[in-house]
Amino acid sequence: MYVGVDYYPEHWPETRWALDAQMMQKAGFNVVRLGEFAWTNFEPAEGCYDFAWLDRALEVLARHGIRAILGTPTAVVPAWLAHRYPEVMVVDKTGQRRTWGVRKDTCYSSGVLRRFSQAITTALATHYASHPGVIGWQTDNEFGGSNDCRCPACQAAFQDFLRQRYGTLDELNRAWGTHFWGQIFRAWEEVPVIVDTNGQNPSACLDWQRFYSDQNVRYQGEQVQILRRLCPRHFITHNLMGLAPDVNYFNLARDLDFVSWDNYPVWGRPEVRYDAALAADLMRGAKHKNFWIMEQTAGPCGWGSFNRNVRPGELRAVAYQQLAHGADGQIWFRWRTCTAGREQYWHGLLQHDGKPNRRYLEAAQVAREYHLLAPLLEGLSVRAEVAMIYDYDSLWVTRFQGSFEGNDYREQLKRYHRALFRAGIGLDIISPADDFSRYKLVIAPELHLMPDALARRLEAYIEQGGTLLADVRTAVKDGTNLVHDRTLPGLLSSALGIAIPEYDVLADKAEIPLTQGFAGHKATLYTDWIKPTTAETVAGYDAWWLTDYAAITRNRLAKGIAWYVGTIGNTPAFYDGLIARVLADAGITAPLTPPPGVEAVVRSGQGRELLFLINHTEDCQTVPVPTGRKELLTGTTTATTLTLDRHGVAVVQLR
Ligand code: GAL
């Protein structure tokens, strides 16, 4: 198993490298990631390459048994490149070309940038293809975010993207509904870039976001092609950003051997435990495969001012959380805090002084334990019976048009995910294109965009015995972001056994009490006014104008069951109650119910089953566990309960 750090030898005197490598080895580290911002060091002048410094660093590291993942260094172009070829820089929404000097600010439509990116990738790959110290590659750094560009090359590329997608202008005009506000295009060249996602045509905005995402995928693809050809023995990965919204990670992951991600919890925030778990489940779902942590915060962090330091046990807990969710490799960001540059306050394991410290010792403990667990973890992953659909299209369209005040697609996913977390149930986050039939329960939050084919697949899934949970704003729009002209929930009406003739918002924090099965809970933000056809009413609204309507329904369809939740519950307890009932319908039970703040995750396979328990709180916690099993970190045998220290972890071998 690989455990290590992100290391920047180019930030430190060469005389220090041997001590760094020695300390890493002593900590049990066996891998580093190198070079991902070092383009200018590799190519100090156009076409002149220098890999000697990295050769020497690799040699020092190899002497201490440390292997390397190399980054293609394209996230920052050299100053000489931007100076000589200013067209590589992004043009922002106001038409201004960005000044060189930050990072991740180059245009992926630029032929010049792509040519240089391919050249440096080729040179690096050629040089390191058979280097014994190199095991794999990370493409670029964190695709998405800051480099959406509006230059003429991007406009032309966008028009090409649309031509390929729609074939004819007539079809584009239809798909975008350009009859509204007289926006009909008579020539492809008239199609503009998108600068205002709150004002321009929503269908155009969706395609612009798809285009941006695809540009990233294509740019990475060009590097991957080179690496595959020249370095067939090496793996290729990329460091994704968990729940970051800009790039469709299912598409970005396609070219990679496995996904990695960068986990940057803000220490001390209670939602961190949940968000890092959700992100990990998405990262595993991106390829239905275990993943790596390529950057794991190792200390207080921030660019301007830093947040609180990690408390004893926190680094270990955060590492084990990712291990439990399927991390097969873990790398701390970064080895030593840099004395220069924007990230002077973004702390690594070591402080600026480079001395072994408390965080270093805790990371060393983790590495030691991981190496002991490694043989048992081989081939094990989270094998979930529950899936939750993560639809980038629905995420994007709700960012342009929330459709009701306070609506947030990712928050909606979190409501269900957190309830499953509290119930001790593992889940996969999947794409709407994935096969649903392998799951007993599919949760489909806010599937605004419902192409007909997806509606039919969901219906078939229920008919064949699946349990589906759908909710507000389901099937409002079609695949091009035009609103369907069907009564909601459109093609899913018969599967869900309901019609929704009207809906409403609950403004100014208004709440409506729910009735029947959810008496005691309240509806917030939004209400679907549901008329059940074949569905039973599980809850209604206690409001005089809504007595004829249902709020939550449950429908039997052939061998399956379909739930519909037409509002947002007011508390986590609402979602705990809902999930308990839906899990019961799906016949899913948890291995144990953890106390609040304790996470229970099972990794299984190869005839083995490991239960990870992680205490995310600062109190000791007692967890009921199956008796007579081995706790692998202490070598003890379990009694009926197990006590976890604050931020403590345990790994119980169930089978
Ligand atoms: C990450 C990035 C790293 C480093 C870190 C701290 O997002 O990949 O290179 O910048 O943030 O800011």
Side-chain angles (χ1 to χ4, degrees), residues 53-133:
W53 66 275
L54 189 64
D55 293 347
R56 293 196 301 278
L58 285 168
E59 208 180 296
V60 173
L61 292 159
R63 260 185 252 135
H64 295 275
I66 298 164
R67 311 274 207 91
I69 298 163
L70 301 183
T72 61
T74 45
V76 182
V77 297
W80 60 257
L81 200 160
H83 182 67
R84 191 169 306 162
Y85 305 97
E87 69 268 38
V88 300
M89 298 304 294
V90 155
V91 171
D92 68 19
K93 289 178 184 175
T94 65
Q96 280 283 109
R97 204 171 278 287
R98 197 97 58 83
T99 311
W100 179 89
V102 188
R103 63 172 177 180
K104 310 226 29 93
D105 46 13
T106 47
C107 164
Y108 291 162
S109 302
S110 157
V112 174
L113 177 76
R114 289 164 62 197
R115 184 159 53 75
F116 274 105
S117 145
Q118 290 169 37
I120 183 66
T121 305
T122 304
L124 265 168
T126 308
H127 189 81
Y128 288 109
S130 48
H131 193 293

Coordinates of all heavy atoms in Angstrom, one line a residue, residues 53-133:
W53 N 17.6 17.8 -12.5 CA 17.3 18.0 -11.0 C 16.3 17.0 -10.5 O 16.5 16.5 -9.4 CB 16.8 19.5 -10.8 CG 15.5 19.7 -11.5 CD1 15.2 20.1 -12.7 CD2 14.2 19.6 -10.9 NE1 13.9 20.2 -13.0 CE2 13.2 19.9 -11.8 CE3 13.7 19.3 -9.6 CZ2 11.8 19.9 -11.6 CZ3 12.4 19.2 -9.3 CH2 11.4 19.6 -10.3
L54 N 15.4 16.6 -11.3 CA 14.4 15.6 -10.8 C 15.0 14.2 -10.8 O 14.7 13.4 -9.9 CB 13.1 15.6 -11.7 CG 12.0 14.8 -11.2 CD1 11.5 15.3 -9.9 CD2 10.8 14.7 -12.2
D55 N 15.9 14.0 -11.8 CA 16.7 12.7 -11.7 C 17.4 12.6 -10.4 O 17.4 11.5 -9.7 CB 17.7 12.6 -12.8 CG 17.1 12.6 -14.2 OD1 15.8 12.3 -14.3 OD2 17.8 12.8 -15.2
R56 N 18.0 13.7 -10.0 CA 18.8 13.6 -8.7 C 17.8 13.4 -7.5 O 18.1 12.7 -6.6 CB 19.6 14.9 -8.5 CG 20.7 15.0 -9.6 CD 21.8 16.1 -9.1 NE 21.2 17.4 -8.9 CZ 21.0 18.3 -9.9 NH1 21.3 18.0 -11.2 NH2 20.5 19.5 -9.7
A57 N 16.7 14.1 -7.5 CA 15.7 14.0 -6.4 C 15.2 12.5 -6.4 O 15.1 11.9 -5.3 CB 14.6 15.0 -6.6
L58 N 14.9 12.0 -7.5 CA 14.4 10.6 -7.6 C 15.5 9.6 -7.0 O 15.1 8.6 -6.4 CB 14.0 10.2 -9.0 CG 12.7 10.8 -9.5 CD1 12.6 10.6 -11.0 CD2 11.5 10.2 -8.8
E59 N 16.7 9.9 -7.3 CA 17.8 9.0 -6.9 C 17.9 9.1 -5.3 O 18.0 8.0 -4.7 CB 19.1 9.6 -7.5 CG 20.1 8.5 -7.7 CD 21.4 9.2 -8.3 OE1 21.3 9.7 -9.4 OE2 22.4 9.2 -7.6
V60 N 17.8 10.3 -4.8 CA 17.8 10.4 -3.3 C 16.6 9.7 -2.7 O 16.8 8.9 -1.7 CB 17.8 11.9 -2.9 CG1 17.7 12.1 -1.4 CG2 19.0 12.6 -3.4
L61 N 15.5 9.9 -3.3 CA 14.3 9.2 -2.7 C 14.4 7.7 -2.9 O 14.0 6.9 -1.9 CB 13.0 9.7 -3.5 CG 12.7 11.2 -3.2 CD1 11.8 11.8 -4.3 CD2 12.0 11.3 -1.8
A62 N 14.9 7.2 -4.0 CA 15.0 5.8 -4.2 C 15.9 5.1 -3.2 O 15.6 4.0 -2.7 CB 15.5 5.5 -5.6
R63 N 16.9 5.8 -2.8 CA 17.8 5.3 -1.7 C 17.1 5.0 -0.5 O 17.5 4.2 0.4 CB 18.9 6.3 -1.5 CG 20.2 5.9 -2.2 CD 21.4 6.9 -1.8 NE 21.7 7.7 -2.9 CZ 21.8 9.0 -2.9 NH1 21.8 9.7 -1.7 NH2 22.1 9.7 -4.0
H64 N 15.9 5.6 -0.3 CA 15.1 5.4 0.9 C 13.8 4.7 0.6 O 12.9 4.8 1.4 CB 14.9 6.8 1.6 CG 16.2 7.4 2.1 ND1 16.7 7.1 3.3 CD2 17.0 8.2 1.5 CE1 17.9 7.7 3.5 NE2 18.1 8.4 2.4
G65 N 13.8 4.0 -0.5 CA 12.7 3.1 -0.8 C 11.4 3.9 -1.2 O 10.3 3.4 -1.0
I66 N 11.6 5.1 -1.7 CA 10.4 5.9 -2.0 C 10.2 6.1 -3.5 O 11.2 6.5 -4.2 CB 10.5 7.3 -1.3 CG1 10.6 7.1 0.2 CG2 9.4 8.2 -1.7 CD1 11.1 8.3 0.9
R67 N 9.0 5.7 -4.0 CA 8.7 5.8 -5.4 C 8.0 7.1 -5.7 O 7.6 7.8 -4.8 CB 7.8 4.7 -5.8 CG 8.3 3.3 -5.4 CD 9.3 2.8 -6.4 NE 9.3 1.3 -6.4 CZ 8.5 0.5 -7.1 NH1 7.7 1.1 -8.0 NH2 8.6 -0.8 -7.0
A68 N 7.8 7.4 -7.0 CA 7.2 8.7 -7.3 C 6.0 8.6 -8.3 O 6.1 7.8 -9.2 CB 8.2 9.6 -7.8
I69 N 5.1 9.5 -8.1 CA 4.0 9.8 -9.1 C 4.4 11.2 -9.6 O 4.7 12.1 -8.9 CB 2.7 9.9 -8.4 CG1 2.3 8.5 -7.8 CG2 1.6 10.3 -9.4 CD1 1.1 8.6 -6.8
L70 N 4.5 11.3 -11.0 CA 4.9 12.6 -11.5 C 3.6 13.3 -12.1 O 2.8 12.6 -12.6 CB 5.9 12.4 -12.7 CG 7.2 11.7 -12.4 CD1 8.1 11.6 -13.6 CD2 7.9 12.4 -11.2
G71 N 3.6 14.6 -11.8 CA 2.5 15.4 -12.4 C 2.9 15.9 -13.7 O 4.0 16.3 -13.9
T72 N 2.0 15.9 -14.7 CA 2.2 16.7 -15.9 C 2.1 18.1 -15.4 O 1.1 18.4 -14.8 CB 1.3 16.3 -17.1 OG1 -0.1 16.6 -16.6 CG2 1.4 14.9 -17.5
P73 N 3.1 19.0 -15.7 CA 3.2 20.2 -14.9 C 2.4 21.4 -15.5 O 2.8 22.5 -15.4 CB 4.7 20.5 -15.0 CG 5.1 20.0 -16.4 CD 4.2 18.8 -16.7
T74 N 1.3 21.1 -16.2 CA 0.7 22.1 -17.0 C -0.3 23.1 -16.3 O -0.9 23.9 -17.0 CB -0.1 21.4 -18.2 OG1 -0.8 20.2 -17.6 CG2 0.9 20.8 -19.2
A75 N -0.4 22.9 -15.0 CA -1.4 23.8 -14.3 C -0.8 25.3 -14.2 O -1.6 26.2 -13.9 CB -1.8 23.3 -13.0
V76 N 0.5 25.4 -14.4 CA 1.1 26.8 -14.4 C 2.0 26.8 -15.6 O 3.0 26.0 -15.7 CB 1.9 27.1 -13.2 CG1 2.5 28.5 -13.2 CG2 1.1 26.9 -11.9
V77 N 1.7 27.7 -16.6 CA 2.7 27.8 -17.7 C 3.9 28.7 -17.3 O 3.7 29.6 -16.5 CB 2.0 28.3 -19.0 CG1 0.9 27.4 -19.5 CG2 1.5 29.8 -18.8
P78 N 5.0 28.4 -17.9 CA 6.2 29.2 -17.5 C 5.9 30.7 -17.9 O 5.2 30.9 -18.9 CB 7.3 28.6 -18.4 CG 6.9 27.3 -18.8 CD 5.4 27.3 -18.8
A79 N 6.6 31.6 -17.2 CA 6.4 33.0 -17.5 C 6.8 33.3 -19.0 O 6.1 34.1 -19.6 CB 7.2 33.9 -16.5
W80 N 7.9 32.7 -19.4 CA 8.3 33.0 -20.8 C 7.2 32.6 -21.8 O 7.1 33.2 -22.8 CB 9.7 32.3 -21.1 CG 9.7 30.8 -21.0 CD1 10.2 30.0 -20.0 CD2 9.2 29.8 -22.0 NE1 10.1 28.7 -20.3 CE2 9.4 28.5 -21.4 CE3 8.5 29.9 -23.2 CZ2 9.0 27.4 -22.1 CZ3 8.1 28.8 -23.8 CH2 8.4 27.5 -23.3
L81 N 6.5 31.5 -21.5 CA 5.5 31.1 -22.5 C 4.3 32.1 -22.6 O 3.9 32.5 -23.7 CB 5.0 29.7 -22.0 CG 4.3 28.8 -23.1 CD1 4.3 27.3 -22.6 CD2 2.9 29.2 -23.4
A82 N 3.9 32.5 -21.4 CA 2.8 33.5 -21.4 C 3.2 34.8 -22.0 O 2.4 35.5 -22.7 CB 2.3 33.7 -20.0
H83 N 4.5 35.1 -21.8 CA 5.0 36.4 -22.3 C 5.0 36.3 -23.9 O 4.6 37.2 -24.6 CB 6.3 36.7 -21.7 CG 6.9 38.0 -22.2 ND1 6.4 39.2 -21.9 CD2 8.0 38.2 -23.0 CE1 7.1 40.1 -22.4 NE2 8.1 39.6 -23.1
R84 N 5.6 35.2 -24.4 CA 5.8 35.1 -25.8 C 4.5 34.8 -26.5 O 4.3 35.1 -27.7 CB 6.8 34.0 -26.1 CG 7.3 34.0 -27.6 CD 8.5 33.1 -27.8 NE 9.6 33.4 -26.9 CZ 10.6 32.6 -26.7 NH1 10.7 31.4 -27.2 NH2 11.6 33.0 -25.9
Y85 N 3.6 34.0 -25.9 CA 2.3 33.6 -26.5 C 1.1 34.0 -25.6 O 0.5 33.2 -25.0 CB 2.3 32.1 -26.7 CG 3.5 31.5 -27.5 CD1 4.6 31.0 -26.8 CD2 3.5 31.6 -28.9 CE1 5.7 30.5 -27.5 CE2 4.5 31.1 -29.6 CZ 5.7 30.6 -28.9 OH 6.7 30.1 -29.6
P86 N 0.8 35.3 -25.6 CA -0.2 35.8 -24.6 C -1.6 35.1 -24.9 O -2.4 35.1 -24.0 CB -0.3 37.3 -24.9 CG 0.6 37.6 -26.1 CD 1.4 36.4 -26.3
E87 N -1.8 34.6 -26.1 CA -3.1 34.0 -26.4 C -3.4 32.7 -25.6 O -4.5 32.2 -25.7 CB -3.2 33.7 -27.9 CG -2.3 32.6 -28.5 CD -1.0 33.1 -29.0 OE1 -0.4 34.0 -28.4 OE2 -0.5 32.5 -30.0
V88 N -2.4 32.2 -24.9 CA -2.7 31.0 -24.0 C -3.5 31.4 -22.8 O -4.0 30.5 -22.1 CB -1.4 30.3 -23.6 CG1 -0.6 29.8 -24.8 CG2 -0.5 31.1 -22.7
M89 N -3.5 32.7 -22.5 CA -4.2 33.1 -21.2 C -5.7 33.2 -21.4 O -6.1 33.6 -22.5 CB -3.6 34.4 -20.7 CG -2.1 34.4 -20.4 SD -1.7 33.2 -19.1 CE -2.5 33.7 -17.7
V90 N -6.4 32.9 -20.4 CA -7.9 33.0 -20.4 C -8.4 34.4 -20.6 O -7.8 35.4 -20.1 CB -8.4 32.5 -19.0 CG1 -9.8 33.0 -18.7 CG2 -8.4 30.9 -19.0
V91 N -9.4 34.6 -21.4 CA -10.2 35.8 -21.5 C -11.4 35.8 -20.6 O -12.2 34.8 -20.7 CB -10.6 36.1 -22.9 CG1 -11.5 37.3 -23.0 CG2 -9.3 36.3 -23.8
D92 N -11.5 36.7 -19.7 CA -12.6 36.6 -18.7 C -13.9 37.1 -19.3 O -14.0 37.5 -20.4 CB -12.2 37.2 -17.4 CG -12.1 38.8 -17.5 OD1 -12.7 39.3 -18.4 OD2 -11.5 39.4 -16.6
K93 N -15.0 37.2 -18.4 CA -16.3 37.5 -18.9 C -16.4 38.9 -19.4 O -17.2 39.3 -20.2 CB -17.3 37.4 -17.7 CG -17.6 36.0 -17.3 CD -18.5 36.0 -16.1 CE -18.8 34.6 -15.7 NZ -19.6 34.5 -14.5
T94 N -15.5 39.8 -19.0 CA -15.5 41.2 -19.4 C -14.7 41.4 -20.7 O -14.6 42.5 -21.2 CB -15.0 42.2 -18.4 OG1 -13.6 41.9 -18.2 CG2 -15.7 42.0 -17.0
G95 N -14.1 40.3 -21.2 CA -13.3 40.4 -22.4 C -11.9 40.7 -22.1 O -11.1 40.8 -23.1
Q96 N -11.5 40.8 -20.9 CA -10.1 41.1 -20.5 C -9.3 39.8 -20.5 O -9.7 38.8 -19.9 CB -10.1 41.6 -19.0 CG -10.4 43.0 -18.8 CD -9.3 43.9 -19.2 OE1 -9.4 44.6 -20.2 NE2 -8.2 43.9 -18.4
R97 N -8.1 39.9 -21.0 CA -7.2 38.7 -20.9 C -6.5 38.7 -19.6 O -6.1 39.7 -19.1 CB -6.1 38.8 -22.0 CG -5.6 37.4 -22.4 CD -4.7 37.4 -23.6 NE -5.4 37.4 -24.9 CZ -6.0 36.3 -25.4 NH1 -6.0 35.2 -24.7 NH2 -6.6 36.4 -26.6
R98 N -6.6 37.5 -18.9 CA -6.0 37.4 -17.6 C -4.5 37.6 -17.6 O -3.8 37.2 -18.4 CB -6.4 36.0 -17.0 CG -6.3 35.8 -15.6 CD -7.7 36.0 -14.8 NE -8.8 35.1 -15.2 CZ -9.0 33.9 -14.8 NH1 -8.1 33.3 -14.0 NH2 -10.0 33.2 -15.2
T99 N -4.0 38.3 -16.5 CA -2.6 38.5 -16.4 C -2.0 37.2 -15.8 O -2.6 36.6 -14.9 CB -2.3 39.6 -15.3 OG1 -3.2 40.7 -15.7 CG2 -0.9 40.0 -15.2
W100 N -0.9 36.9 -16.3 CA -0.2 35.7 -15.8 C 0.3 35.9 -14.4 O 0.6 37.0 -14.0 CB 1.0 35.4 -16.7 CG 1.8 34.2 -16.3 CD1 1.6 32.9 -16.7 CD2 2.9 34.2 -15.4 NE1 2.5 32.0 -16.1 CE2 3.4 32.8 -15.3 CE3 3.6 35.1 -14.7 CZ2 4.4 32.4 -14.5 CZ3 4.7 34.7 -13.9 CH2 5.1 33.4 -13.8
G101 N 0.3 34.9 -13.6 CA 0.8 35.1 -12.2 C 0.1 34.3 -11.1 O 0.5 34.4 -10.0
V102 N -1.0 33.7 -11.5 CA -1.7 32.8 -10.5 C -1.4 31.4 -11.0 O -0.3 30.9 -11.0 CB -3.2 33.1 -10.3 CG1 -3.7 32.4 -9.1 CG2 -3.3 34.6 -10.0
R103 N -2.4 30.6 -11.3 CA -2.3 29.3 -11.9 C -3.6 29.0 -12.4 O -4.6 29.6 -12.1 CB -1.7 28.3 -10.9 CG -2.7 28.1 -9.7 CD -2.3 26.9 -8.8 NE -3.2 26.8 -7.7 CZ -3.2 25.9 -6.8 NH1 -2.2 25.0 -6.7 NH2 -4.1 25.9 -5.8
K104 N -3.7 27.9 -13.2 CA -5.0 27.4 -13.7 C -5.7 28.5 -14.4 O -6.9 28.8 -14.1 CB -5.8 26.8 -12.6 CG -5.1 25.8 -11.7 CD -5.8 24.5 -11.4 CE -6.8 24.0 -12.4 NZ -6.3 23.1 -13.4
D105 N -5.0 29.2 -15.3 CA -5.6 30.4 -15.9 C -5.3 30.4 -17.4 O -5.2 31.4 -18.0 CB -5.2 31.7 -15.3 CG -3.7 31.7 -15.0 OD1 -3.0 30.8 -15.6 OD2 -3.2 32.6 -14.3
T106 N -5.2 29.2 -18.0 CA -4.9 29.1 -19.4 C -6.1 28.5 -20.2 O -6.9 27.8 -19.6 CB -3.7 28.3 -19.7 OG1 -3.7 27.1 -18.9 CG2 -2.4 29.0 -19.3
C107 N -6.2 28.8 -21.5 CA -7.3 28.5 -22.3 C -7.1 27.2 -23.0 O -6.1 27.0 -23.8 CB -7.5 29.6 -23.3 SG -8.6 29.2 -24.6
Y108 N -8.1 26.2 -22.8 CA -7.9 24.9 -23.4 C -8.3 24.9 -24.8 O -8.2 23.8 -25.5 CB -8.7 23.9 -22.6 CG -8.1 23.6 -21.2 CD1 -8.9 23.0 -20.2 CD2 -6.8 24.0 -20.9 CE1 -8.4 22.8 -18.9 CE2 -6.3 23.8 -19.6 CZ -7.1 23.2 -18.7 OH -6.5 22.9 -17.4
S109 N -8.8 26.0 -25.4 CA -9.0 26.0 -26.8 C -7.8 26.5 -27.6 O -7.7 26.4 -28.8 CB -10.2 26.9 -27.2 OG -11.4 26.5 -26.5
S110 N -6.8 27.0 -26.8 CA -5.7 27.5 -27.5 C -4.8 26.4 -28.1 O -4.3 25.6 -27.4 CB -4.8 28.3 -26.4 OG -3.5 28.4 -26.9
G111 N -4.6 26.5 -29.4 CA -3.8 25.5 -30.1 C -2.4 25.6 -29.6 O -1.7 24.6 -29.5
V112 N -1.9 26.8 -29.3 CA -0.5 27.0 -28.8 C -0.4 26.3 -27.4 O 0.6 25.5 -27.2 CB -0.2 28.5 -28.6 CG1 1.2 28.7 -28.0 CG2 -0.3 29.1 -30.0
L113 N -1.3 26.5 -26.5 CA -1.2 25.8 -25.2 C -1.2 24.3 -25.4 O -0.4 23.6 -24.8 CB -2.4 26.3 -24.3 CG -2.3 25.5 -23.0 CD1 -1.3 26.1 -22.0 CD2 -3.7 25.5 -22.2
R114 N -2.1 23.8 -26.2 CA -2.2 22.4 -26.4 C -1.0 21.8 -27.0 O -0.5 20.7 -26.5 CB -3.5 22.0 -27.2 CG -4.8 22.3 -26.4 CD -6.0 22.4 -27.3 NE -6.2 21.1 -28.0 CZ -7.0 21.0 -29.1 NH1 -7.6 22.0 -29.6 NH2 -7.2 19.8 -29.7
R115 N -0.4 22.5 -27.9 CA 0.9 22.0 -28.5 C 2.0 22.0 -27.4 O 2.7 21.0 -27.3 CB 1.3 23.0 -29.6 CG 2.5 22.6 -30.4 CD 2.5 23.3 -31.8 NE 2.3 24.7 -31.8 CZ 3.3 25.6 -31.4 NH1 4.5 25.1 -31.1 NH2 3.1 26.9 -31.4
F116 N 2.1 23.0 -26.6 CA 3.2 23.0 -25.6 C 2.9 22.0 -24.5 O 3.8 21.4 -24.0 CB 3.3 24.4 -24.9 CG 4.2 25.3 -25.7 CD1 3.7 26.4 -26.5 CD2 5.6 25.2 -25.6 CE1 4.5 27.2 -27.2 CE2 6.4 26.0 -26.3 CZ 5.9 27.0 -27.1
S117 N 1.6 21.8 -24.2 CA 1.2 20.8 -23.1 C 1.6 19.4 -23.6 O 2.1 18.6 -22.9 CB -0.3 21.0 -22.9 OG -0.9 19.7 -22.6
Q118 N 1.3 19.2 -24.9 CA 1.7 17.9 -25.4 C 3.2 17.7 -25.5 O 3.7 16.6 -25.3 CB 1.0 17.7 -26.8 CG -0.5 17.6 -26.7 CD -1.2 17.6 -28.0 OE1 -0.8 17.1 -29.0 NE2 -2.4 18.3 -28.0
A119 N 3.9 18.8 -25.8 CA 5.3 18.6 -26.0 C 6.0 18.4 -24.6 O 6.9 17.5 -24.5 CB 5.9 19.9 -26.6
I120 N 5.6 19.1 -23.6 CA 6.2 18.8 -22.3 C 5.8 17.4 -21.7 O 6.6 16.7 -21.1 CB 5.9 20.0 -21.3 CG1 6.6 19.8 -19.9 CG2 4.4 20.1 -21.0 CD1 8.1 19.8 -20.0
T121 N 4.6 17.0 -22.0 CA 4.2 15.7 -21.6 C 5.0 14.6 -22.3 O 5.4 13.7 -21.7 CB 2.6 15.5 -21.9 OG1 1.9 16.6 -21.2 CG2 2.1 14.2 -21.3
T122 N 5.2 14.8 -23.6 CA 6.0 13.9 -24.4 C 7.4 13.8 -23.9 O 8.0 12.7 -23.7 CB 6.0 14.3 -25.9 OG1 4.6 14.4 -26.3 CG2 6.7 13.2 -26.7
A123 N 8.0 15.0 -23.6 CA 9.4 15.0 -23.2 C 9.5 14.3 -21.8 O 10.4 13.5 -21.6 CB 9.9 16.4 -23.1
L124 N 8.6 14.6 -20.9 CA 8.7 14.0 -19.6 C 8.5 12.5 -19.7 O 9.2 11.7 -19.0 CB 7.6 14.6 -18.7 CG 7.9 15.7 -17.8 CD1 6.6 16.3 -17.2 CD2 8.8 15.3 -16.6
A125 N 7.4 12.1 -20.4 CA 7.1 10.7 -20.5 C 8.2 9.9 -21.2 O 8.6 8.8 -20.7 CB 5.8 10.5 -21.3
T126 N 8.9 10.5 -22.2 CA 10.0 9.8 -22.8 C 11.1 9.6 -21.8 O 11.7 8.5 -21.7 CB 10.5 10.7 -24.0 OG1 9.4 11.0 -24.8 CG2 11.5 9.9 -24.8
H127 N 11.4 10.7 -21.1 CA 12.5 10.6 -20.1 C 12.3 9.6 -19.0 O 13.2 8.9 -18.6 CB 12.8 12.0 -19.6 CG 14.1 12.1 -18.8 ND1 15.3 12.3 -19.4 CD2 14.3 12.0 -17.4 CE1 16.2 12.3 -18.4 NE2 15.6 12.2 -17.2
Y128 N 11.0 9.5 -18.5 CA 10.8 8.7 -17.3 C 10.1 7.4 -17.6 O 9.8 6.6 -16.6 CB 10.0 9.5 -16.3 CG 10.9 10.6 -15.7 CD1 10.7 12.0 -16.0 CD2 12.0 10.3 -14.9 CE1 11.5 12.9 -15.5 CE2 12.8 11.3 -14.4 CZ 12.6 12.6 -14.7 OH 13.4 13.5 -14.2
A129 N 9.9 7.0 -18.9 CA 9.1 5.8 -19.2 C 9.7 4.6 -18.5 O 8.9 3.7 -18.0 CB 9.1 5.6 -20.7
S130 N 11.0 4.5 -18.5 CA 11.6 3.2 -17.9 C 12.3 3.5 -16.6 O 13.2 2.7 -16.2 CB 12.4 2.5 -18.9 OG 13.3 3.4 -19.5
H131 N 12.0 4.6 -16.0 CA 12.7 4.9 -14.7 C 12.1 4.1 -13.6 O 10.9 4.1 -13.4 CB 12.5 6.4 -14.4 CG 13.4 6.9 -13.3 ND1 13.3 6.5 -12.0 CD2 14.4 7.8 -13.3 CE1 14.2 7.1 -11.2 NE2 14.9 7.9 -12.0
P132 N 13.0 3.3 -12.9 CA 12.5 2.4 -11.9 C 11.8 3.1 -10.7 O 10.9 2.4 -10.0 CB 13.7 1.6 -11.4 CG 14.9 2.5 -11.8 CD 14.4 3.3 -13.0
G133 N 12.1 4.4 -10.5 CA 11.5 5.0 -9.3 C 10.1 5.6 -9.6 O 9.4 6.0 -8.7

